Amino acid sequence: MSGLPIRVRLTAAFALAMVVVLAAACLFVYVQLRSDTDQAIAGSLETRLAAAAALAGRGEAFGSADSGLLSEHDESFAQILRADGRVVASIGAVRGPALAGPELRRATRNRVATERRLAGFDDTARVLARPTPGGGGSTVVAVGQSLGDRNEALSALVRSFAVAGVLAVIVASLVGYALATAGLAPVEAMRRRASEISLSGDGERLPLASAHDEIRRLGETLNAMLDRLRRSFERERRFVADASHELRSPVAVVKTELEGALRTGDYGPGVRQALVAAVEECDRLAQLAEDLLVLARAGDGRLPARPEPLSAARLLEDARDRFVDRAAQRGRMIRIDMTGDVVVLADALRLRQALGNLVDNAVRLGAGEITLAARQAAAAVEIDVSDHGPGFAGALAEHAFERFTRADEARSGEGAGLGLAIVQAIADAHGGTAEIVRDAAVTTVRIVLPRGGDADTHPAAPAAAPSRAPERGASQARLM
C-alpha cells in the first residue's frame, strides 16, 4: 500500500470509509425495520388473539363473518384446539393444527409465543396461543401470521443497499480521486516549477497556494530554503572567481621573475633544475586559477561560447605542436589520424583549451603513442584523444567528468581533478557531449560537437589563437 501514489491511497481510504458508513447504515436500518415489523405483527396477533378468545369463551364457533376480524389475509389464521391436538374450529390458510406436543400442553396452562413452519404457508409463521377463557384448560385459542412479507421486505432492503452501496462507493471513489487531485494540484505545480529552477536563476520561486494551509506553509519553507541555497551558492561562486583572479596576478609575476633568472644563466646546474621546476609549478597554478574561473563562469548554467566554423585538422595540428616537445622528453609520439578535413562549429579558444587538457593529461599520465583523430558522424563531429594507458579503473569512469575526481594513483601527483570537468563544461556549452569510449586496446576520451559546413565553403578560423593561461591536461585514462 505504501508504494501506491498518494492520490490512489487517498481514494482507497475514502472508498473504505464509505463502505464502513454504508454498512453501518444498512445494519441500523435493517435492525430498525425488523424491530418495527415485529412489533406491528405482535400487536396484530394480540388483537386477533383477544377477539378469538372472546368468541371461544362464549362458545361461539368461527364463521365467515369473523374472517375479517380473525384472519386479515391469506397468510394469517385463527384456531380453537383441544388438548389432544384435535382442531375444533379454524379459519385462514393453515392446514392442520397450529400447535402440537409440548407446545400445545404449555398453551393449555399459559400463553405461548413461537415461530414454526406450518402446512399451507411458504415461510415460517409466528403463532400466539392461550387457554380458552372458562374452558378449564381443555381447549386452546391460537392465532398466527406468516413472516413471509417481513422476510421479503428485509431481503429487498439488503438487495437495495447492496446495489446502491456499490454505485455509491464507485461514485464516491471518483469524487475522492478528483478531490485528491484538486487538493494536490498546488503540490504538483510546485514540483513542476522546482524541476525548472536552478541556483543560478533570477530568483525563481515556487508557486504558493492561495489558501493559508499546510501546503502553502510547505511552499514558503521551500522558498526560504531556496533563498538560503542561492545565497550560499553565490558566495561560493564569487569566492572561486575572486580567488582565481587574485591568484593569476602573483603567479604571473613569480613566473616572470623565474624566467628572467633563467635567461641570465648565472647559476649552477642544480639552480637551473629548481628554477625550471618552479616555472612548471607556476604554470600549473595559473592553469588551476583559469580552470576555477571557467567553472565559476559556468556555474549552474552554460559556459558562454561563440561558435564559428573551424578546421578540425588545424585544431589537432595545433594541439600536437604544443605538446610534441613534452611528449618527446618522455619518449612518446603524438600522431594525427584523419582523412581530409572536417569543419566543426565551435568556439576556437574553448575547444583549444579542451584539447589541451586532454593531450596534456595523456602525455603526463598515459602510455604509448598518443593519437588525435577527428571524423564526421551524421550531424556531429567526433574528436578523439587516445593513448595506450591503463584506462579508467573500476567505477572511476562513471565519475570521471565530476569536479575534483582523481584516480587513487594520481592523488599525490599533478593536477587537481578539474580537467575533465572543464572538457564537459565546454562540450555542454556547445550543445555537445564528452564521453569515455570503452576499448580494451586503447583509452579514448571523445568530444562530440555540432558539425559546421564544408571546409571549402567555410574558411576555418585560426586554431592557434593564444590562450589565456598555460594549458594543462584532463586525462582520458587517469584524472588530474
Side-chain angles (χ1 to χ4, degrees):
M1 187 71 175
S2 59
L4 295 176
I6 188 171
R7 295 180 186 178
V8 176
R9 282 183 283 164
L10 288 174
T11 302
F14 192 73
L16 180 60
M18 180 61 68
V19 169
V20 172
V21 170
L22 288 176
C26 179
L27 179 61
F28 173 78
V29 174
Y30 182 90
V31 172
Q32 188 65 38
L33 178 61
R34 179 169 179 168
S35 176
D36 293 343
T37 306
D38 287 345
Q39 288 180 5
I41 293 174
S44 175
L45 289 177
E46 287 288 352
T47 302
R48 288 168 25 220
L49 180 63
L55 290 175
R58 295 196 301 267
E60 299 179 9
F62 300 155
S64 58
D66 302 317
S67 60
L69 175 64
L70 303 180
S71 178
E72 297 179 353
H73 46 76
D74 292 340
E75 294 190 352
S76 62
F77 67 91
Q79 284 185 341
I80 300 177
L81 304 172
R82 291 188 181 277
D84 58 4
R86 188 158 55 93
V87 178
V88 176
S90 178
I91 189 173
V94 67
R95 297 194 299 270
L99 295 175
E103 292 179 340
L104 179 58
R105 288 193 293 272
R106 288 201 308 271
T108 59
R109 300 186 299 271
N110 300 299
R111 289 170 57 91
V112 172
T114 184
E115 292 183 4
R116 56 181 304 188
R117 300 285 297 190
L118 296 175
F121 293 99
D122 295 332
D123 290 286
T124 302
R126 179 170 296 174
V127 179
L128 188 62
R130 56 167 290 184
T132 302
S138 59
T139 59
V140 172
V141 177
V143 295
Q145 181 174 326
S146 172
L147 299 179
D149 292 342
R150 185 206 67 170
N151 294 340
E152 181 61 28
L154 294 177
S155 299
L157 175 67
V158 173
R159 289 194 299 269
S160 299
F161 263 102
V163 174
V166 170
L167 295 177
V169 170
I170 293 175
V171 173
S173 299
L174 296 176
V175 172
Y177 188 85
L179 291 176
T181 301
L184 294 173
V187 178
E188 178 63 17
M190 286 192 290
R191 185 200 65 78
R192 287 196 300 267
R193 180 67 62 81
S195 66
E196 302 170 355
I197 291 178
S198 64
L199 292 178
S200 61
D202 298 331
E204 294 180 281
R205 300 171 67 83
L206 299 177
L208 299 178
S210 57
H212 293 272
D213 54 9
E214 291 81 359
I215 294 180
R216 182 183 178 90
R217 290 196 294 273
L218 172 63
E220 292 172 347
T221 302
L222 293 177
N223 281 333
M225 182 185 69
L226 278 174
D227 292 338
R228 292 194 301 271
L229 290 175
R230 282 198 180 97
R231 289 194 295 268
S232 176
F233 177 76
E234 288 299 325
R235 286 195 301 268
E236 184 176 332
R237 187 162 62 176
R238 284 197 300 269
F239 169 77
V240 172
D242 294 344
S244 300
H245 280 294
E246 293 298 325
L247 279 172
R248 294 169 73 186
S249 296
V251 168
V253 172
V254 171
K255 182 182 177 183
T256 301
E257 295 294 331
L258 291 173
E259 290 174 340
L262 280 172
R263 284 194 295 270
T264 62
D266 188 15
Y267 46 75
V271 175
R272 174 179 174 80
Q273 185 177 1
L275 290 175
V276 170
V279 170
E280 291 179 353
E281 289 301 319
C282 286
D283 286 343
R284 294 191 187 97
L285 285 174
Q287 187 61 51
L288 174 60
E290 180 66 19
D291 289 348
L292 290 173
L293 187 59
V294 170
L295 292 176
R297 288 170 180 167
D300 194 41
R302 298 172 63 87
L303 184 68
R306 293 181 294 274
E308 56 183 320
L310 302 175
S311 168
R314 294 186 61 181
L315 286 167
L316 298 184
E317 290 170 1
D318 173 68
R320 180 189 60 186
D321 294 343
R322 282 185 287 150
F323 293 95
V324 66
D325 292 338
R326 192 183 304 179
Q329 292 175 3
R330 299 174 184 255
R332 301 173 62 195
M333 295 178 56
I334 301 178
R335 180 175 64 90
I336 295 178
D337 180 15
M338 65 177 298
T339 302
D341 195 7
V342 177
V343 176
V344 59
L345 192 64
D347 185 304
L349 182 61
R350 296 299 183 198
L351 187 53
R352 186 174 185 270
Q353 182 181 11
L355 286 174
N357 282 356
L358 296 179
V359 177
D360 178 72
N361 222 25
V363 170
R364 290 187 299 104
L365 301 173
E369 185 180 64
I370 301 170
T371 302
L372 310 182
R375 71 185 64 85
Q376 180 176 313
V381 173
E382 297 177 350
I383 301 176
D384 294 348
V385 177
S386 308
D387 68 65
H388 297 271
F392 292 87
L396 181 62
E398 299 177 4
H399 307 283
F401 293 98
E402 297 177 3
R403 301 176 186 181
F404 302 106
T405 300
R406 301 169 64 193
D408 292 338
E409 61 271 18
R411 291 188 183 279
S412 59
E414 304 171 352
L418 294 176
L420 286 183
I422 296 293
V423 173
Q424 181 72 66
I426 292 174
D428 291 342
H430 290 81
T433 60
E435 59 187 12
I436 297 167
V437 180
R438 303 277 187 175
D439 193 326
V442 295
T443 300
T444 302
V445 172
R446 174 173 297 162
I447 304 175
V448 182
L449 298 176
R451 180 169 63 90
D454 297 332
D456 300 339
T457 57
H458 295 279
S467 66
R468 298 172 188 171
E471 298 80 4
R472 62 185 290 241
S475 171
Q476 60 271 32
R478 298 83 13 215
L479 301 179
M480 300 181 342

